[in-house]
Amino acid sequence: MTRRKSIHIGEFKHANPIPNACRIGNLLMSGVILGRDAAGKMPEKIEDQCANMFGHMKAIVQAGGGTTSDIIKMTVWLQDRTQRAPVNVEWLKMFPDEHSRPARHALQMDMENGALVQCDFTAVIG
């Protein structure tokens, strides 16, 4: 049995030969998560990209054996850092308890192929 376990979810795959996340012990770290829909299309609106991104995040942590309560840190990259409101909408849906939210950091970054937002996360499962 290998110590490291690659985590894959459905058809949401990276363009390169890497998993959606990796788990060693109780630590799960995702790769980059984009806001593409289930068919692989990038929605034009940041609101739709955010909804998809958070949905993928939930599916990844569950495929790794955890829940969204296990997420300890999230990093978000935005095409326009002033566009955090759509991220916050999904953030509050996923983490409604202000006393039990992961740390989060938002950065601005040029993105390609219509991406307006992307993230990665770390979870401690157990």
Side-chain angles (χ1 to χ4, degrees), residues 6-80:
S6 296
I7 308 299
H8 300 275
I9 59 168
E11 293 302 312
F12 180 70
K13 296 182 180 182
H14 197 281
N16 293 299
I18 60 172
N20 297 119
C22 183
R23 180 174 174 176
I24 294 178
N26 66 345
L27 183 64
L28 175 77
M29 297 186 78
S30 78
V32 69
I33 303 168
L34 296 168
R36 285 188 245 121
D37 64 20
K41 304 284 186 205
M42 186 66 74
E44 291 184 23
K45 294 172 48 178
I46 191 170
E47 292 83 0
D48 297 330
Q49 289 186 28
C50 286
N52 292 340
M53 181 181 75
F54 274 82
H56 297 320
M57 188 167 64
K58 181 178 181 180
I60 290 167
V61 75
Q62 288 176 339
T67 70
T68 57
S69 295
D70 297 316
I71 297 171
I72 192 167
K73 173 75 171 30
M74 180 179 179
T75 302
V76 178
W77 292 271
L78 294 152
Q79 184 76 26
D80 177 354

